[in-house]
Amino acid sequence: MQRDADRLARLLTAEQGKPLAEARGEIAYATSFLEWAAEEGKRLNGDLVPSSSPDKRILVLRQPVGIAAIITPWNFPAAMVTRKLGPALACGCTTVIKPSEETPLSALAIGELACEAGIPPGVVNIVTGDPGAIGDALFNDDRVRKLSFTGSTEVGRMLMSKASKNLLRLSLELGGHAPFIVFDDADLNLAVPAAVACKFRNAGQTCVCANRFYVQAGIADEFTARFAEAIGTLTVGNGADEGVDVGPLINDAAVEKVESHVDDAQTRGGRVIVGGHRVAVDGLADRLYAPTLVSGMTPEMLLCREETFGPVAPVAMFHDEREVIELANASEYGLAAYFFTRDASRLMRVAEALEYGIIGANDGAPSTVQAPFGGLKHSGFGREGGSYAMHEYTEIKYVSWRL
Ligand code: SIN
């Protein structure tokens, strides 16, 4: 993958739309999961536990869970495959990967490289096509022992019920609705670029992207003005063109959803400060939506309740810490949350109070191979990344050994 990084990045942009610079970043991110897991595979240690009977020893073994079904989304067509495949292989599992119907090509390219790298036939299997039929085959075959899925909460719930038939081990990385909080004492030189990167990466089509911005009263005007100015400098266009910051959305339904959320916000008193419209560029089938800032967000707005999965940043003002924690936690989702402050005591207090699996504290880009990526509540369960991922693909067995 490292050798072919440029080719893989171009393929990714062609099938998914994200700007080439981001696609290059995703390929590097994707390879990091394989490298990390390969190294961590050396440390799948067991335990020797003392027994209460002096003539016994207890050996704890970690063994591969078995065949792992891997179902991946279209927003990160390479990295979501390797984030699951790396630890599965390192733990000794064979895999059946079903990439999204929207973006199967990156997964197939990784499969070709797996063959070239000498991974034996039958270890990395990739099936594309009708999700219902593939799902039925996977869930009705009792050789499959594990499902790892990244995608929407709605589909995750449906897969969980199907997986109950054979009691599959599950890792579900589902939807999110991330709050992004800026306290009065925040360093805006840090918070503004982080807000832009966190919101507009992949045109807002990221489970962990900021969905709701809460800005404390004393800094609200300044933050909003600087955020609007930064958003106005983003270049929208064909992801394959150098210099583009925001590419097209994945399909027509995605653009319609973004439009309906912005319309809904306006009818409920929200004000569009920047953007709020499609952008026409030849050859992109009307899929570009301008990076948008909406002020006056209220809890009733769709923007504040549902995953918009597009380049729209709604902002609301708050007055104190307790109020904003309540607002931030008032969501069924619990994947990622962000906040900016210079106060070290508040930093720990707020990090502990937020009901989210991933917390960006003065950091708009917390995703990395070493960390345990995953959510709480309706954002799912299980962790991907670092040594935590290895637990998802191993079973624990013990041997009670009488001497
Ligand atoms: C996701 O959107 O699920 C993945 C994003 C990331 O790994 O940062």
Side-chain angles (χ1 to χ4, degrees):
M1 287 185 74
Q2 283 168 350
R3 183 199 68 194
D4 288 3
D6 192 59
R7 176 178 70 84
L8 294 170
R10 285 177 193 284
L11 180 67
L12 204 164
T13 292
E15 71 168 342
Q16 198 269 340
K18 70 180 55 172
L20 210 41
E22 278 190 44
R24 291 190 180 111
E26 180 176 339
I27 297 303
Y29 186 44
T31 57
S32 74
F33 289 109
L34 299 179
E35 185 178 41
W36 179 279
E39 290 164 353
E40 193 62 12
K42 300 170 187 163
R43 288 179 280 275
L44 284 174
N45 303 330
D47 272 321
L48 180 59
V49 180
S51 163
S52 52
S53 310
D55 61 340
K56 288 192 188 180
R57 302 290 181 273
I58 293 168
L59 273 71
V60 180
L61 311 179
R62 287 172 76 187
Q63 293 188 317
V65 73
I67 298 177
I70 290 176
I71 303 184
T72 56
W74 50 261
N75 60 344
F76 287 85
M80 296 306 100
V81 169
T82 56
R83 187 152 81 183
K84 299 170 191 309
L85 180 61
L89 294 181
C91 290
C93 301
T94 56
T95 57
V96 182
I97 301 166
K98 193 219 103 30
S100 163
E101 315 82 271
E102 298 274 11
T103 55
L105 301 180
S106 295
L108 291 170
I110 291 169
E112 273 178 353
L113 288 170
C115 296
E116 192 188 328
I119 294 184
V123 173
V124 177
N125 302 281
I126 304 178
V127 193
T128 62
D130 174 25
I134 296 169
D136 286 348
L138 292 173
F139 293 121
N140 288 320
D141 189 327
D142 58 17
R143 291 171 299 174
V144 175
R145 294 306 319 141
K146 159 89 192 171
L147 167 68
S148 180
F149 168 70
T150 295
S152 71
T153 298
E154 190 190 350
V155 175
R157 224 179 249 125
M158 185 268 287
L159 295 178
M160 187 170 172
S161 82
K162 286 184 185 277
S164 67
K165 176 167 182 267
N166 284 332
L167 290 174
L168 299 191
R169 287 272 301 275
L170 291 176
S171 309
L172 300 177
E173 198 265 274
L174 308 177
H177 206 282
F180 189 109
I181 304 165
V182 186
F183 287 99
D184 276 346
D185 64 353
D187 178 351
L188 290 193
N189 291 328
L190 211 59
V192 172
V196 173
C198 184
K199 174 70 254 183
F200 297 103
R201 171 165 84 114
N202 202 11
Q205 302 172 112
T206 304
C207 304
V208 289
C209 76
N211 285 269
R212 301 169 273 149
F213 290 82
Y214 297 106
V215 188
Q216 202 163 9
I219 210 171
D221 287 347
E222 189 186 349
F223 175 84
T224 310
R226 287 177 61 174
F227 194 22
E229 192 187 336
I231 293 172
T233 66
L234 295 173
T235 305
V236 186
N238 186 336
D241 295 340
E242 292 291 347
V244 164
D245 301 303
V246 178
L249 299 183
I250 189 71
N251 54 31
D252 293 338
V255 193
E256 282 154 22
K257 183 174 187 189
V258 170
E259 276 179 333
S260 73
H261 280 202
V262 174
D263 288 350
D264 169 78
Q266 286 178 295
T267 59
R268 293 176 195 272
R271 194 162 71 86
V272 171
I273 300 190
V274 189
H277 53 82
R278 295 190 192 214
V279 176
V281 169
D282 281 350
L284 289 182
D286 219 11
R287 298 261 177 82
L288 287 170
Y289 197 85
T292 298
L293 180 62
V294 177
S295 69
M297 174 181 71
T298 60
E300 299 73 38
M301 291 179 182
L302 292 174
L303 283 171
C304 195
R305 289 186 289 121
E306 290 183 13
E307 267 192 300
T308 306
F309 240 58
V312 184
V315 181
M317 200 166 75
F318 72 93
H319 292 91
D320 63 56
E321 189 180 309
R322 184 196 287 251
E323 174 198 2
V324 80
I325 298 282
E326 249 175 58
L327 288 166
N329 285 342
S331 169
E332 65 187 21
Y333 295 111
L335 188 56
Y338 305 86
F339 66 96
F340 285 73
T341 181
R342 284 189 173 106
D343 177 335
S345 309
R346 171 188 279 154
L347 190 141
M348 205 58 222
R349 215 168 40 235
V350 173
E352 287 177 0
L354 289 169
E355 295 164 357
Y356 290 83
I358 302 165
I359 308 286
N362 293 327
D363 183 9
S367 303
T368 179
V369 65
Q370 304 86 21
F373 191 103
L376 312 179
K377 301 189 334 195
H378 291 204
S379 293
F381 46 79
R383 293 294 179 266
E384 301 189 304
S387 55
Y388 305 91
M390 309 302 262
H391 298 289
E392 307 285 333
Y393 295 92
T394 45
E395 294 283 16
I396 288 188
K397 177 191 276 184
Y398 81 88
V399 181
S400 176
W401 178 8
R402 182 183 285 281
L403 299 179

